[in-house]
Amino acid sequence: MSRRQLLAATVCLGLAAAPVAEALAWEDGVFSLKQRWEHVTTAMEATRREDALSALAEESAALAEAHPEASEVLVWRGIILASLAREAGGLSALGAAKAARRVLERAVALDPAGHRGSAYVTLGALYDRAPGWPVAFGDEETAEAMFRKALAIRPEGIDVNTYYAAFLEAEGRESEALAHARRAVAGQARAGREASDEALRDRARAMVARLQD
């Protein structure tokens, strides 16, 4: 191989490696955020969760700023912000909830599957919990539409079936809620999400027991 051919091959290899290196850079960050979010939301005492989630939200903001086109980064930022909103509660949670909605909508614009439906599950929960207009963006029809999108992507998911079952129960649609709660109980926990999925499965079991009575 001539020096010119060798140089051209080296340049091509470098261009091919750049996207891989970029992906690895944010994948490490997402893995770290995910592991710590899992611990905070399932194992940490309640009095410490809000501060811990605030710290994760700040870290996720920096990662999203560095990788604004990485949908998975945005999904995890949205999940963390939604968890922070839930933990904070009340009107103080609205800022985090609105930021979560914005970042998740950006994520699904980049990846319509929403990281295997996770973005839609979280959006559904946000629309379900948030106050309605003019205070915030809460909307029952949109919440259900988001849950249905997640179900179309991952129909046996523990998370989507648990959250959708809770939504349906609150709407008075108990037979539908029972069916989805049972699907959540029978679902398979995701790798790396075992603790949070098992916590949701416990919630689904409680719903099944309640709705069967």
Side-chain angles (χ1 to χ4, degrees):
M1 181 182 290
S2 70
R3 286 173 58 191
R4 181 173 295 175
Q5 290 172 320
L6 181 60
L7 177 60
T10 302
V11 169
C12 288
L13 285 171
L15 291 172
V20 175
E22 175 74 7
L24 289 175
W26 64 254
E27 283 179 358
D28 287 346
V30 165
F31 180 81
S32 176
L33 287 172
K34 178 168 64 174
Q35 294 299 306
R36 284 177 288 152
W37 173 87
E38 188 92 353
H39 172 74
V40 169
T41 56
T42 64
M44 185 174 285
E45 58 191 55
T47 56
R48 297 174 54 204
R49 285 181 202 149
E50 186 176 347
D51 287 344
L53 287 166
S54 293
L56 287 180
E58 289 182 13
E59 191 173 331
S60 71
L63 189 64
E65 185 176 351
H67 306 283
E69 302 301 309
S71 176
E72 190 172 344
V73 172
L74 300 180
V75 170
W76 270 99
R77 173 155 170 72
I79 290 171
I80 290 165
L81 286 166
S83 298
L84 176 59
R86 182 176 64 244
E87 201 63 41
L91 292 178
S92 62
L94 290 180
K98 290 176 180 179
R101 181 184 66 158
R102 287 194 299 270
V103 76
L104 289 166
E105 287 176 344
R106 171 63 179 157
V108 297
L110 292 166
D111 169 23
H115 189 44
R116 298 185 295 280
S118 292
Y120 294 114
V121 178
T122 310
L123 281 167
L126 286 166
Y127 276 102
D128 182 27
R129 293 173 183 151
W133 187 90
V135 177
F137 57 87
D139 184 86
E140 294 167 0
E141 290 185 4
T142 306
E144 182 158 20
M146 295 297 104
F147 288 134
R148 299 298 300 179
K149 284 186 177 183
L151 281 166
I153 296 166
R154 198 157 35 84
E156 303 307 319
I158 296 173
D159 56 340
V160 61
N161 280 291
T162 300
Y163 283 115
Y164 190 36
F167 169 84
L168 292 166
E169 183 181 12
E171 292 289 298
R173 295 157 61 183
E174 294 187 354
S175 61
E176 294 174 81
L178 178 58
H180 284 283
R182 284 173 169 160
R183 284 168 70 172
V185 170
Q188 183 173 355
R190 293 164 289 178
R193 300 285 297 276
E194 291 89 353
S196 56
D197 276 353
E198 291 303 333
L200 289 170
R201 195 196 307 274
D202 287 342
R203 285 181 56 187
R205 286 193 183 103
M207 272 190 280
V208 169
R210 183 169 62 249
L211 291 167
Q212 284 182 150
D213 290 343

